[in-house]
Amino acid sequence: MVSDGKTIAGVAGEVRVIAKAVNGHFAVSVMDTGPGIPEQERTRIFEQFHQIDNSNTKAKGGTGLGLAIAKQIVEMHGGRIRVESTLGKGTTFLMKLPTRAEIGKNAP
């Protein structure tokens, strides 16, 4: 997410990562100052091979797997991931992970 954020935000853009422990979980935010994600795309960005249909983002490459993999890893650890975005201002990915693992809860 950090690498993607920097790619999308560009040379003049900014990416911030904030991580903290809060009430039995870790809260991690990755924020960028890129162009933002259109609302109609936000429900699909965690799908495998999905890329935003935008010449600016498609020109930067990628397979459309990064967010799908990130979501799977977060959920396998008992966490949640979501996105907030404002067009023209940027995007924030928010992850919430438990600080203690529950044995067998998410085992295959």
Side-chain angles (χ1 to χ4, degrees):
M1 280 182 266
V2 174
S3 177
D4 286 351
K6 189 59 184 163
T7 299
I8 298 300
V11 175
E14 184 176 317
V15 176
R16 289 186 184 176
V17 177
I18 297 173
K20 55 187 170 183
V22 180
N23 297 327
H25 68 273
F26 292 111
V28 181
S29 300
V30 179
M31 302 162 278
D32 70 53
T33 57
I37 300 170
E39 188 172 349
Q40 66 272 17
E41 295 285 346
R42 290 181 212 153
T43 59
R44 298 194 58 218
I45 61 169
F46 293 106
E47 294 176 9
Q48 290 182 2
F49 305 111
H50 183 72
Q51 292 181 313
I52 295 173
D53 193 14
N54 174 325
S55 60
N56 182 40
T57 55
K58 290 228 178 192
K60 297 191 191 294
T63 60
L65 287 172
L67 290 173
I69 293 169
K71 181 178 186 221
Q72 186 174 14
I73 291 169
V74 168
E75 289 179 349
M76 287 176 70
H77 285 87
R80 298 276 181 236
I81 185 170
R82 64 185 175 93
V83 63
E84 296 176 353
S85 189
T86 302
L87 290 178
K89 295 194 178 205
T91 300
T92 300
F93 289 93
L94 302 126
M95 292 161 280
K96 185 176 179 180
L97 295 154
T99 56
R100 298 182 67 83
E102 293 184 33
I103 297 172
K105 183 174 181 180
N106 291 318

